[in-house]
Amino acid sequence: MVAGLLFLAFAYFAVGQAAASRNGAQSAADAAALAAAQDAREQLRDGLFASLDEPADWPLYLQGELYDAARACLAAGSFAARNDAEVAGAGCRQLEDQRQGFTVRVRTTGGMGASVIPGTEHEQSEARATAVIEPKCALPEEEPGEDGDGDASPAPGADDEDKDPGPGQLKLTCDGQEWSIDPGEPDPTRPGYPRAADLFAVRLAD
């Protein structure tokens, strides 16, 4: 009877080990997916400020469309490793629906250890997580009399200098916060410039 009770105790312990392993895998997957999305978010911010003289590109950056997915997936792999896991095969990929973001599948790098359940000592757990990038900003709507680039149409008889005013300021409204960024001073490290988190939200999703 004592032996039977001991076996049950070890069996319950093994079940607990398995649950802990699965929880660890899910935590690693969550961290990896968030890391990929956050890296992409930083790329979008940097790209936006690097394109201040290209107003046609502003909407693409602000919609979250221009970033290097391969670089973002490297960040996912790095965070998975910090959580004793690895990205499983080609387990980091961009979302294929209307959302911007990543789905990441990870595998724990360590087994469960010694167990009374045969074959589980080297068993690894897998988990998957999705993180999305959600735009928070909008460009101001064009006012009557503005051309497609948002610059005022020149008045009849204006000289050449007036006809080519150059790119205007990047004006954004992000969750009620207004920003005005001068293309002549595009240093994104300046105080008062929006952070990546001001431009985009990153969160876990189904």
Side-chain angles (χ1 to χ4, degrees), residues 33-48 51 57-76 92-104 130-135 196 200-202:
L34 288 171
Q38 288 168 354
D39 184 89
R41 178 173 68 178
E42 292 292 339
Q43 292 185 53
L44 289 166
R45 178 185 184 274
D46 292 345
L48 176 66
S51 69
D57 290 341
W58 296 349
L60 299 178
Y61 283 108
L62 292 171
Q63 292 163 16
E65 298 180 9
L66 297 180
Y67 56 84
D68 183 347
R71 179 187 128 170
C73 282
L74 288 177
C92 178
R93 56 184 176 82
Q94 283 182 277
L95 298 179
E96 297 178 354
D97 52 28
Q98 299 300 315
R99 301 173 299 174
Q100 293 293 333
F102 295 85
T103 291
V104 179
T130 296
V132 294
I133 307 164
E134 297 179 333
F200 303 92
V202 166

Side-chain angles (χ1 to χ4, degrees), residues 22 45 65 85 92 97 106 121 139-140 151 156 168 178 193 201 206:
R22 287 192 297 271
R45 178 185 184 274
E65 298 180 9
C92 178
D97 52 28
V106 305
E121 61 272 12
L139 293 167
D151 298 326
E178 294 185 354
Y193 267 45
D206 295 331

Side-chain angles (χ1 to χ4, degrees), residues 3 6 8 20 81 97 102 121 131-132 137 140 159-160 163 177 192:
L6 287 174
L8 286 176
D97 52 28
F102 295 85
E121 61 272 12
V132 294
C137 303
D159 58 27
D160 290 341
K163 291 180 182 178
Q177 173 71 46

Side-chain angles (χ1 to χ4, degrees), residues 112-158:
M112 288 173 47
S115 172
V116 295
I117 302 176
T120 62
E121 61 272 12
H122 300 297
E123 185 175 321
Q124 296 171 313
S125 296
E126 292 191 2
R128 182 177 63 180
T130 296
V132 294
I133 307 164
E134 297 179 333
K136 299 171 65 175
C137 303
L139 293 167
E141 295 184 3
E142 293 182 4
E143 298 179 359
E146 292 186 341
D147 60 22
D149 290 332
D151 298 326
S153 300

Side-chain angles (χ1 to χ4, degrees), residues 25 28 80 83-89 105-110 124-127:
N83 289 275
D84 299 320
E86 61 185 2
V87 175
R105 182 166 56 90
V106 305
R107 179 189 304 113
T108 56
T109 53
Q124 296 171 313
S125 296
E126 292 191 2

